[in-house]
């Protein structure tokens, strides 16, 4: 596999963002059943987790390439900041000052008198508090008080960006070191499985360690790209391996990340499935990810969850995509020109 601009990264990331919309619909629209695909496969990995891991795998690959190409640390971090923050701050401003007053149970006057409204956009800056609540916003929804739950992964992704820079500056950004990190992450995944899951720290590690592993796997593929080949038999074996290792009985090992990584890049560089130009002018995957949750919550607020599940999913996607497009055209793309 050679690094090339002819790839399907953009469409894969958009499909992953749409998959997150589908999975969040079960919680937001009060669907009291298990996600059917994961249930049929007896998978210990939800489709939401699957989508996030796909994001992190591709990100690990591209961010490593970005650091290697960067002229300096400033050049590298400037690019990362311009990719994440303009779109994030825009959605938080719109949520606080447009959506918030319209859906808050406090009423418009009391809402704007609350200091938390004005602090909300600033909570996006450290990322870890980007999922903060707004006064009275979605308070009566089924998923009560959750304003934009999707944003929680951004902190961990940016932490990975910092990790790449640290390894690079320490001259440790290599295939050998990343292989060790993958081994350590897998070991931690196994060990924490046998610890009390009601402990907050242990529970948090259970969520984030597979994301780190996915990012590391993407980094490893960057260094191995000239030695990796994609053949039908190997793709089939990787698919079977993913199904086996993601089974509810084995998923705690996080071994499924390895075949998943191979499958992601096999699809990304497929010579048969060619959506290479998709998103080259309008990359709306990030916008779809950061706008979808608040849009879905707004749909529930307006309909009371009375619509059929399929309609809710379709409506969520149909409304989200124009916002994602506008986010890219009006905010993200102008910001990226500053790189």
């Amino acid at each position: 596999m050679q690094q090339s601009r002819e790839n399907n990264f953009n469409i894969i990331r958009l499909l992953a963002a749409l998959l997150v919309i589908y999975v969040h619909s079960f919680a937001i629209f009060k669907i009291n059943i298990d996600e059917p695909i994961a249930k049929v496969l007896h998978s210990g990995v939800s489709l939401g987790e699957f989508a996030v891991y796909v994001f992190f795998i591709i990100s690990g690959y591209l961010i490593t390439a970005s650091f290697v190409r960067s002229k300096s640390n400033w050049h590298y971090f400037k690019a990362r900041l311009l990719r994440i923050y303009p779109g994030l701050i825009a959605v938080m401003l719109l949520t606080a000052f447009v959506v918030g007053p319209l859906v808050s149970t406090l009423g418009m006057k009391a809402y704007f008198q609350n200091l938390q409204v004005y602090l909300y956009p600033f909570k996006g800056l450290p990322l870890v508090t980007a999922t903060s609540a707004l006064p009275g916003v979605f308070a009566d929804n089924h998923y009560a008080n959750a304003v934009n739950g999707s944003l929680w992964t951004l902190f961990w992704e940016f932490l990975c960006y910092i990790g790449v820079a640290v390894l690079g500056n320490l001259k440790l950004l290599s295939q050998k070191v990343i292989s060790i990190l993958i081994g350590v992450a897998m070991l931690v995944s196994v060990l924490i499985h046998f610890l009390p899951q009601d402990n907050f720290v242990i529970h948090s590690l259970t969520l984030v360690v597979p994301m780190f592993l996915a990012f590391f796997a993407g980094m490893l593929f960057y260094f191995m790209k000239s030695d990796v080949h994609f053949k039908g038999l190997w793709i089939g074996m990787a698919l079977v391996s993913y199904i086996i290792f993601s089974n509810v009985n084995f998923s705690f090992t996080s071994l499924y990340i390895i075949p998943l990584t191979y499958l992601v890049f096999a699809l990304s560089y497929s010579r048969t499935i060619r959506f290479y130009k998709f998103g080259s002018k309008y990359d709306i995957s990030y916008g779809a990810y950061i706008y979808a949750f608040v849009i879905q919550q707004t749909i529930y607020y307006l309909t009371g969850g009375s619509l059929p599940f399929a309609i809710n999913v379709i409506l969520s996607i149909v409304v989200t995509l124009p916002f994602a497009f506008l986010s890219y055209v009006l905010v993200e793309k102008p910001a990226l020109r500053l790189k």
Side-chain angles (χ1 to χ4, degrees):
M1 181 188 77
Q2 298 293 330
Q3 186 178 358
S4 169
R5 292 190 179 276
E6 291 191 335
N7 58 63
N8 294 313
F9 286 148
N10 287 335
I11 192 168
I12 291 173
R13 287 187 296 191
L14 178 58
L15 290 174
L18 299 183
L19 190 57
V20 170
I21 293 176
Y22 164 72
V23 173
H24 281 168
S25 296
F26 286 86
I28 291 173
F29 297 112
K30 197 178 180 180
I31 306 301
N32 296 318
I33 61 172
D34 294 331
E35 194 284 309
I37 297 177
K39 185 176 181 180
V40 168
L41 295 175
H42 299 285
S43 177
V45 182
S46 73
L47 286 183
E49 292 170 324
F50 174 91
V52 169
Y53 300 153
V54 169
F55 276 125
F56 272 71
I57 288 167
I58 294 175
S59 184
Y61 180 85
L62 295 177
I63 298 305
T64 303
S66 175
F67 182 85
V68 172
R69 291 195 307 263
S70 295
K71 300 174 183 178
S72 64
N73 286 323
W74 165 240
H75 184 265
Y76 169 75
F77 278 111
K78 182 182 179 182
R80 305 283 63 77
L81 292 170
L82 289 173
R83 187 67 186 97
I84 285 187
Y85 277 100
L88 173 64
I89 298 303
V91 71
M92 296 190 78
L93 285 170
L94 284 172
T95 302
F97 297 107
V98 178
V99 178
L102 297 176
V103 304
S104 175
T105 56
L106 299 184
M108 194 168 293
K109 182 179 179 180
Y111 178 81
F112 280 118
Q113 289 176 340
N114 195 304
L115 178 62
Q116 293 304 312
V117 173
Y118 304 95
L119 294 177
Y120 178 77
F122 294 98
K123 292 180 179 180
L125 298 179
L127 297 178
V128 71
T129 52
T131 57
S132 297
L134 278 165
V137 172
F138 304 132
D140 294 332
N141 279 23
H142 172 65
Y143 206 146
N145 301 310
V147 176
N148 201 336
S150 296
L151 303 183
W152 75 276
T153 63
L154 297 183
F155 170 77
W156 301 103
E157 183 164 352
F158 201 85
L159 200 61
C160 289
Y161 297 169
I162 295 173
V164 170
V166 169
L167 290 174
N169 282 281
L170 294 176
K171 309 300 181 184
L172 294 174
L173 193 59
S174 66
Q175 181 176 329
K176 181 179 179 180
V177 171
I178 296 167
S179 297
I180 293 172
L181 290 175
I182 288 174
V184 170
M186 285 185 175
L187 180 60
V188 172
S189 291
V190 173
L191 292 177
I192 60 179
H193 175 72
F194 297 100
L195 297 176
Q197 297 300 304
D198 56 351
N199 180 283
F200 176 76
V201 174
I202 301 302
H203 178 68
S204 299
L205 286 173
T206 302
L207 294 175
V208 302
V209 169
M211 294 195 301
F212 287 149
L213 179 55
F215 193 91
F216 296 154
M219 293 174 68
L220 183 63
F221 258 69
Y222 172 79
F223 290 103
M224 294 179 62
K225 58 183 179 291
S226 60
D227 300 319
V228 176
H229 303 280
F230 303 111
K231 297 182 179 180
L233 177 61
W234 296 355
I235 293 172
M237 292 174 62
L239 180 58
V240 172
S241 298
Y242 173 79
I243 293 173
I244 292 172
F245 290 123
S246 63
N247 183 277
V248 67
N249 296 312
F250 302 110
S251 59
F252 71 92
T253 65
S254 294
L255 283 170
Y256 57 85
I257 293 292
I258 304 305
L260 176 60
T261 303
Y262 183 85
L263 291 170
V264 166
F265 287 108
L267 181 58
S268 297
Y269 289 99
S270 172
R271 298 303 177 189
T272 304
I273 304 172
R274 301 167 66 93
F275 290 92
Y276 297 163
K277 293 184 179 181
F278 184 90
S280 58
K281 290 186 178 180
Y282 307 104
D283 182 5
I284 63 174
S285 57
Y286 180 60
Y289 186 78
I290 61 176
Y291 275 89
F293 194 98
V294 67
I295 288 172
Q296 289 181 285
Q297 284 282 60
T298 303
I299 291 172
Y300 184 92
Y301 172 84
L302 294 173
T303 66
S306 60
L307 299 176
F309 177 74
I311 299 299
N312 279 323
V313 175
I314 294 170
L315 186 60
S316 297
I317 293 172
V318 168
V319 176
T320 297
L321 291 181
F323 278 89
F325 175 79
L326 291 174
S327 174
Y328 185 77
V329 172
L330 300 179
V331 181
E332 298 168 49
K333 189 175 182 179
L336 290 173
R337 291 196 187 105
L338 300 176
K339 291 199 300 182

